[in-house]
C-alpha cells in the first residue's frame, strides 16, 4: 500500500499507473505519480482530510473546504484518495487512504474477502480476547462506517473507527495466512504471495492503531 513510505511498507510496486485502485488488498495499490508541486499536493491532502473528519474545526479558508467536498461529490472520492495516497502513514490523510483502500477491496471482492474473514475469525477472536483488541466489524458494518467517514457524515468516535478497521484487517490477515498454508501444497508461489499480503494488512492494522492513538492525543494531522 502506498502512503509516504513508512518502515512498515512492503515493496510491491511496478511502473503501471491506474486511475482507480485495483480491487486487491492495500499492498496492491500503486503510487499516484502526479506532476503537481509536492508541497501543494500535501497541503491539499491535509486540507481535504480535515474537511471530511474535522468539519467542526475552524478553517482559515472555508471556501477551500467547500470546494474539496464538492470535488468528492462531483468527481468521486477516488480523486481525493489519490492525494491521500501520497501522505505519511501516520497522518490524517494517510489514515483516510487506508480506510479507503480497505473499503474498496471489500466492495470489489466481497466473496473473497468474506472467505478470508471467515477463515480468520475464530483465531482472531481468541487473540482479541487475550490482547483486548477492538471488536472487528462485519464487512457490512465496515462499509457503512467507512462510507460515512469518506462522505464527511461521520459523527462518531473516529479513533474507535480506526481501531475497528485495524481489527478487521487483522482478521483478514489471519484468514489469508490460513489460505496461504493451504495454497502452499498446490502452489508455493501463491502461498508466498498470500503470506506477503497478510503481512501488509497486518502493517496496515498497526498504522491505523497508531493513527488512533495520535487522534486521541490530538496529534494526528
Amino acid at each position: 500500500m502506498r502512503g509516504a513510505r513508512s518502515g512498515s511498507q512492503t515493496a510491491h510496486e511496478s511502473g503501471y499507473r491506474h486511475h482507480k485502485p485495483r480491487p486487491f488488498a492495500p499492498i496492491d495499490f500503486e503510487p499516484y505519480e502526479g506532476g503537481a508541486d509536492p508541497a501543494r499536493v500535501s497541503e491539499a491532502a491535509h486540507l481535504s482530510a480535515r474537511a471530511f473528519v474535522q468539519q467542526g474545526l475552524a478553517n482559515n479558508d472555508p471556501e477551500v473546504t467547500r470546494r474539496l467536498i464538492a470535488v468528492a461529490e462531483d468527481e468521486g472520492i477516488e480523486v481525493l484518495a489519490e492525494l491521500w495516497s501520497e501522505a505519511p502513514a501516520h497522518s490524517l490523510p494517510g489514515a483516510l487512504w487506508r480506510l479507503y483502500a480497505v473499503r474498496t477491496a471489500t466492495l470489489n471482492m466481497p466473496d473473497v474477502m468474506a472467505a478470508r474473514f471467515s477463515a480468520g475469525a475464530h483465531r482472531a477472536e481468541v487473540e482479541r480476547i487475550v490482547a483486548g483488541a477492538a471488536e472487528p466489524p462485519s464487512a457490512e458494518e465496515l462499509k457503512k462506517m467507512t462510507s460515512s467517514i469518506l462522505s464527511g457524515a461521520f459523527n462518531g468516535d473516529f479513533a474507535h473507527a480506526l481501531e475497528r478497521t485495524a481489527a478487521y484487517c487483522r482478521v483478514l490477515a489471519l484468514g489469508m495466512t490460513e489460505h496461504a498454508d493451504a495454497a502452499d501444497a498446490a502452489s508455493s508461489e501463491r502461498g508466498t504471495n498470500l503470506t506477503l499480503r497478510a503481512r501488509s494488512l497486518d502493517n496496515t492494522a498497526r498504522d491505523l492503531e497508531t493513527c488512533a492513538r495520535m487522534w486521541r492525543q490530538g496529534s494526528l494531522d
Side-chain angles (χ1 to χ4, degrees):
M1 176 172 53
R2 171 72 165 161
R5 301 177 190 275
S6 69
S8 66
Q9 298 297 316
T10 304
H12 189 76
E13 299 175 354
S14 71
Y16 176 72
R17 179 188 172 190
H18 55 276
H19 176 63
K20 295 183 181 180
R22 292 176 293 144
F24 294 104
I27 190 175
D28 292 302
F29 287 80
E30 301 291 346
Y32 169 59
E33 299 174 354
D37 179 353
R40 294 187 64 116
V41 170
S42 177
E43 180 184 22
H46 285 267
L47 282 171
S48 59
R50 292 188 206 117
F52 278 88
V53 182
Q54 299 175 301
Q55 291 188 69
L57 298 182
N59 190 317
N60 291 332
D61 190 349
E63 179 62 17
V64 171
T65 296
R66 187 196 65 76
R67 290 202 309 269
L68 288 167
I69 292 181
V71 166
E73 292 174 345
D74 296 340
E75 304 295 335
I77 195 69
E78 295 90 350
V79 174
L80 294 179
E82 289 184 340
L83 293 176
W84 299 338
S85 73
E86 286 291 311
H90 302 156
S91 67
L92 188 56
L96 292 187
W97 164 247
R98 282 152 182 78
L99 293 178
Y100 172 80
V102 174
R103 173 182 175 273
T104 299
T106 301
L107 287 170
N108 289 340
M109 299 192 305
D111 294 339
V112 171
M113 300 297 265
R116 290 171 179 171
F117 191 92
S118 178
H122 176 69
R123 183 175 163 190
E125 178 65 14
V126 174
E127 294 188 1
R128 185 186 68 79
I129 292 173
V130 172
E135 178 73 26
S138 66
E140 285 304 313
E141 288 175 323
L142 176 94
K143 286 185 283 187
K144 288 179 182 178
M145 181 174 65
T146 54
S147 292
S148 67
I149 293 170
L150 296 173
S151 67
F154 185 74
N155 60 4
D157 184 333
F158 184 61
H160 188 57
L162 295 178
E163 288 169 341
R164 293 199 71 200
T165 305
Y168 178 82
C169 289
R170 291 194 188 282
V171 173
L172 290 177
L174 289 170
M176 291 171 77
T177 300
E178 294 285 334
H179 287 180
D181 292 342
D184 271 335
S187 170
S188 60
E189 181 178 355
R190 173 167 169 73
T192 298
N193 185 260
L194 282 170
T195 298
L196 289 174
R197 293 185 181 185
R199 289 175 183 170
S200 179
L201 272 174
D202 199 53
N203 290 337
T204 297
R206 284 198 292 271
D207 286 336
L208 289 170
E209 288 165 348
T210 297
C211 288
R213 288 194 297 271
M214 292 174 67
W215 177 264
R216 290 195 173 100
Q217 294 164 359
S219 61
L220 187 68
D221 186 33

